[in-house]
Amino acid sequence: MRTLALDIGNTAVKYGCFENDELLEMDSVGTPEQLQGVVRQLKPQHAIVASVIVSAEAWLAVLHNVPGLVLEFKAAITPLPIQNTYATPHTLGADRLAAAVGAAWQRPNQDTLIVDAGTAIKCDLVEGGHTFRGGSIAPGLRLRFQALHTFTGRLPLVELPTDLEAAVPLTGDSTQTAIESGVLNGAAAEVNGLIDRYREQFPELGVVLAGGDAAFFQPRLKGAIFAIPELVLLGLHRILAYNVEL
């Protein structure tokens, strides 16, 4: 079975093509017209679209030639292969729940904390490999830099360093390096603090890292870290396959 998963995020539209659970191709597109070319080339049998920002109608329209199930993933109503105990499922971002399904698929029967570092830093718990409990949402790295510039009188706008793995001095000796230390070292300390607190409750907890800024966090997080950049796409594929089976 060949499937196409489309993840419409805040800053990018990513797709993954799967053949019998194996990821064949992963990339991004900028317009529905570009997606149309991808569909013609890859010829998926089924497709799934998830969006966290706008209606997916324009993207779904491109998939009218897909012969099988074309699913618009909605966290509140789409059947899932895991249990969702979120108190307000209608407010739950599709990307968070898809990542949880992906983590449960990759780490069955295990407690997992997902750190998805992108526009926002989302830390979500999958308990026992089968139950999504929820988690936390905080501003991402770029949002933190932007907020310091926007909501103060004189602080400059500092850009995220291009080398995300480079060391960040603890003590900044200029306004720019002080902002870099506060944002970057502060974010790493924040996520590590959350991991520590979760491990107090779940001693065998595994941490799965995803998102565009994963390269910054990977060398800075404590304990064993499983980096899975395609986690949301994996989850979307698994949700689609589950619904095809139904």
Side-chain angles (χ1 to χ4, degrees), residues 73-76 78 80 82-84 92-102 124 132 235 239:
F73 174 45
K74 294 184 178 296
T78 302
L80 299 171
I82 65 172
Q83 184 181 4
N84 178 15
L92 178 59
D95 58 335
R96 292 176 65 196
L97 193 52
V101 172
D124 285 313
F132 176 74
I239 293 166

Side-chain angles (χ1 to χ4, degrees), residues 72-186:
E72 182 179 7
F73 174 45
K74 294 184 178 296
I77 60 175
T78 302
L80 299 171
I82 65 172
Q83 184 181 4
N84 178 15
T85 65
Y86 208 64
T88 56
H90 59 285
T91 70
L92 178 59
D95 58 335
R96 292 176 65 196
L97 193 52
V101 172
W105 186 28
Q106 296 298 297
R107 290 175 46 80
N109 305 315
Q110 300 177 77
D111 299 319
T112 302
L113 183 68
I114 302 158
V115 179
D116 189 346
T119 303
I121 299 171
K122 295 159 285 190
C123 297
D124 285 313
L125 177 68
V126 179
E127 186 175 356
H130 50 67
T131 304
F132 176 74
R133 295 297 188 193
S136 62
I137 305 172
L141 301 179
R142 290 169 184 80
L143 282 179
R144 296 175 193 227
F145 283 125
Q146 182 67 54
L148 282 174
H149 172 65
T150 301
F151 297 108
T152 61
R154 298 182 62 184
L155 291 181
L157 176 60
V158 176
E159 300 292 338
L160 187 66
T162 54
D163 184 0
L164 292 179
E165 298 183 21
V168 180
L170 180 61
T171 304
D173 60 3
S174 68
T175 300
Q176 174 166 329
T177 56
I179 291 173
E180 289 175 348
S181 177
V183 168
L184 299 176
N185 291 323

Side-chain angles (χ1 to χ4, degrees), residues 14-18 23-28 229-231 233:
K14 292 169 283 190
Y15 73 85
C17 180
F18 295 82
L23 180 61
L24 297 180
E25 180 176 318
M26 178 175 68
D27 206 340
S28 60
E230 67 277 17
L231 185 65
L233 294 173

Side-chain angles (χ1 to χ4, degrees), residues 6-9 11-15 27-30 59:
L6 189 67
D7 172 27
I8 306 173
T11 58
V13 178
K14 292 169 283 190
Y15 73 85
D27 206 340
S28 60
V29 291
W59 301 92

